Amino acid sequence: MGERKGTNKYYPPDFDPAKHGSLNGYHKTHALRERARKLSQGILIIRFEMPYNIWCDGCKNHIGMGVRYNAEKKKVGNYFTTPIYRFRMKCHLCINYIEMQTDPAACDYVIVSGASRKEERWDMAENEQILTTERKEKEKLETDAMFKLDHGGKDKEKLTKALPSLLELQDHQAGWKDDFQLNSALRRKFRMEKKVMVEKEEKDDAVRARTNLSIPLLPEREQDKKLAALLSLQTADSYEDKQRSKRQEISSRSWFSSTPGGTAATTTSTSTTCGGLLHKLGLQGKEAAVAKALGPSRTPLIRRKSDPQDSAPATASREVGSTEQDTSSSSLVPNYSDSDSDHGH
């Protein structure tokens, strides 16, 4: 806003162009105002932009390229006819001052003090790039014919070494010359890959729907096929099979635990006998159930004498063959002679 003092259209009555020259001369101010407050010392305050990334030595913070500062600019020397300027600025994060100056020989800026450069420079010689000709070498090529001839021979040797790489680069670039055909081939390849992906996704969805799964499926491999062919799947046992096996296990084990005085052979024989008895009882129970289901039971009957005195009349009646006297003098009971209990007694 201060620049308007020298550009306004108001001229005071005592303004004399021959004496004052301009309105700035009349107001005794410089056209740059506060930027020229140290102009007597050869210092001009300018707006300086950081040319590259640096690290501040005071606060050790990173200052990026492009950060702007109010810097004090002054001339400190010459490179031939090109002046060398130095810039002094204060870090915006601490009280440290940073000084930089121009380097016309390398077309770069050099840090004098207060900071260190973050090394990101491109070395042309290290990366086999074409180097710029130095000033002294350029002058020698223009004045010395023998040096120019020797330099030309070295250039031919470099060309011979780099020729295979150059031809390879040219062939590679020629392959990308017809961009329409390359684009068509690439789009055709993408369409084929997309079709395969869609088919695979449909197959996976069908498998997931059939097996009631919600997990992503991995691609099938030959090793998985061989491993699946070696496996044999069996159905789980039914409820009746499980109950039958449980009953068989219970009937086959021993009812009595081994005593301290007994031997292992005695315990084994006892458990075997008990297991056989339980098995027979189970078979008899099944036979009774089958007979009951088929019809009325016909149990064999035997006569049991109710009184010793009735034995003689019963014998006589049997000899005669009277069935009525046998019925009145004897009682009918089931016959358990075939059971294992009779043999036990």
Side-chain angles (χ1 to χ4, degrees):
M1 302 298 288
E3 287 78 4
R4 291 186 297 175
K5 292 182 180 179
T7 57
N8 57 14
K9 297 180 180 180
Y10 175 75
Y11 290 87
D14 55 347
F15 174 75
D16 186 3
K19 180 181 178 182
H20 301 105
S22 64
L23 287 176
N24 289 326
Y26 174 80
H27 293 291
K28 297 180 180 180
T29 57
H30 195 275
L32 299 177
R33 300 297 184 270
E34 293 297 326
R35 295 170 55 190
R37 65 179 182 271
K38 294 184 179 181
L39 199 59
S40 59
Q41 305 174 18
I43 298 174
L44 178 66
I45 299 175
I46 64 167
R47 194 69 173 165
F48 182 79
E49 184 174 340
M50 195 63 63
Y52 42 72
N53 297 321
I54 65 171
W55 301 94
C56 179
D57 290 343
C59 58
K60 307 299 181 183
N61 286 319
H62 176 264
I63 300 175
M65 179 177 61
V67 179
R68 296 180 179 180
Y69 294 95
N70 292 329
E72 298 177 356
K73 172 186 173 183
K74 64 178 179 180
K75 182 180 178 181
V76 294
N78 289 315
Y79 175 75
F80 294 100
T81 59
T82 305
I84 299 175
Y85 293 103
R86 181 171 294 181
F87 307 93
R88 185 173 185 266
M89 66 209 82
K90 181 177 174 294
C91 177
H92 67 287
L93 300 172
C94 63
I95 59 174
N96 181 50
Y97 279 89
I98 303 171
E99 291 188 4
M100 303 179 69
Q101 71 179 27
T102 59
D103 184 9
C107 299
D108 200 0
Y109 288 86
V110 179
I111 298 175
V112 178
S113 63
S116 58
R117 180 171 182 171
K118 184 179 180 182
E119 195 60 44
E120 296 176 338
R121 283 175 286 193
W122 179 265
D123 190 355
M124 299 180 67
E126 183 180 354
N127 293 277
E128 300 180 356
Q129 300 294 317
I130 298 177
L131 303 177
T132 57
T133 306
E134 296 290 339
R135 182 183 180 90
K136 294 180 180 179
E137 186 178 357
K138 189 174 181 180
E139 292 178 354
K140 199 171 183 180
L141 285 172
E142 294 175 354
T143 58
D144 193 346
M146 294 300 295
F147 180 77
K148 183 178 181 180
L149 182 62
D150 187 21
H151 193 274
K154 292 180 180 179
D155 290 343
K156 289 182 179 179
E157 292 179 0
K158 291 181 181 179
L159 177 62
T160 305
K161 292 180 180 179
L163 190 60
S165 300
L166 294 175
L167 293 176
E168 184 179 355
L169 289 174
Q170 289 177 357
D171 294 341
H172 185 70
Q173 290 179 352
W176 292 88
K177 187 174 182 180
D178 193 355
D179 53 355
F180 177 76
Q181 293 294 335
L182 292 173
N183 189 15
S184 301
L186 187 62
R187 291 173 65 86
R188 191 181 307 109
K189 179 182 176 183
F190 286 163
R191 282 195 296 268
M192 295 175 63
E193 291 179 354
K194 186 177 181 181
K195 184 178 180 180
V196 173
M197 290 174 61
V198 169
E199 292 178 355
K200 181 179 178 300
E201 190 66 24
E202 291 178 354
K203 292 181 180 179
D204 292 347
D205 291 341
V207 173
R208 281 193 289 263
R210 187 171 63 252
T211 57
N212 196 17
L213 295 176
S214 60
I215 58 176
L217 301 180
L218 296 177
E220 189 178 15
R221 299 181 301 177
E222 191 66 26
Q223 183 179 0
D224 297 337
K225 293 181 180 180
K226 294 180 180 179
L227 184 60
L230 296 175
L231 297 177
S232 59
L233 302 179
Q234 296 180 356
T235 59
D237 296 338
S238 62
Y239 177 76
E240 290 78 6
D241 295 338
K242 292 181 179 178
Q243 293 295 326
R244 189 180 299 108
S245 61
K246 186 180 292 186
R247 292 193 189 98
Q248 186 176 0
E249 180 183 357
I250 294 173
S251 62
S252 62
R253 70 187 182 188
S254 175
W255 284 11
F256 308 99
S257 60
S258 60
T259 58
T263 60
T266 307
T267 306
T268 306
S269 61
T270 306
S271 60
T272 305
T273 306
C274 295
L277 180 59
L278 289 174
H279 182 66
K280 290 181 179 181
L281 290 176
L283 292 177
Q284 290 181 2
K286 290 182 179 179
E287 291 177 358
V290 172
K292 185 177 181 180
L294 293 176
S297 60
R298 297 181 179 180
T299 306
L301 303 178
I302 63 171
R303 296 181 179 87
R304 186 177 59 184
K305 296 180 180 181
S306 60
D307 190 48
Q309 297 178 359
D310 299 335
S311 59
T315 304
S317 61
R318 283 197 300 271
E319 293 176 356
V320 176
S322 177
T323 307
E324 296 177 357
Q325 291 179 358
D326 294 341
T327 306
S328 60
S329 62
S330 62
S331 61
L332 301 178
V333 295
N335 184 10
Y336 296 100
S337 59
D338 296 335
S339 64
D340 294 337
S341 58
D342 294 337
H343 296 286
H345 293 291

